[in-house]
């Protein structure tokens, strides 16, 4: 089962405008949920210990800029 169902991938979509970080599903990516929130896929960050049930991810600036462009902001 694809755990990405219900998500719209905003980065590395293969349209030629991507961040160029990589071409696999294990790349940094930004997804938008059906509810308008964002799911960020990236390297786990150890900057600080978040509360239980939360996590930190670190993504390149280029990936976030790509997501902003995809949304037309």
């Amino acid at each position: 089962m694809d755990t990405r169902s219900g998500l719209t991938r905003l980065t590395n979509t293969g349209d030629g405008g991507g961040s160029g970080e990589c071409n696999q599903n294990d790349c940094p990516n930004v997804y938008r949920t059906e509810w308008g929130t964002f799911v960020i896929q990236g390297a786990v960050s150890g900057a600080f210990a978040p509360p239980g049930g939360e996590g930190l991810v670190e993504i390149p600036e280029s990936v976030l800029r790509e997501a902003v462009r995809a949304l037309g902001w």
Side-chain angles (χ1 to χ4, degrees):
M1 180 178 166
D2 186 357
T3 59
R4 293 180 182 106
S5 63
L7 299 176
T8 301
R9 190 173 185 166
L10 301 176
T11 54
N12 293 312
T13 59
D15 64 2
S19 62
E21 295 295 322
C22 59
N23 295 321
Q24 304 295 322
N25 283 335
D26 62 351
C27 313
N29 280 297
V30 179
Y31 299 86
R32 189 172 190 176
T33 69
E34 297 169 338
W35 308 277
T37 59
F38 296 93
V39 173
I40 310 299
Q41 175 185 348
V44 175
S45 174
F48 64 90
E54 295 183 4
L56 304 174
V57 296
E58 185 174 348
I59 61 169
E61 180 180 330
S62 59
V63 174
L64 188 53
R65 287 183 177 276
E66 185 180 346
V68 169
R69 277 194 308 272
L71 291 169
W73 293 350

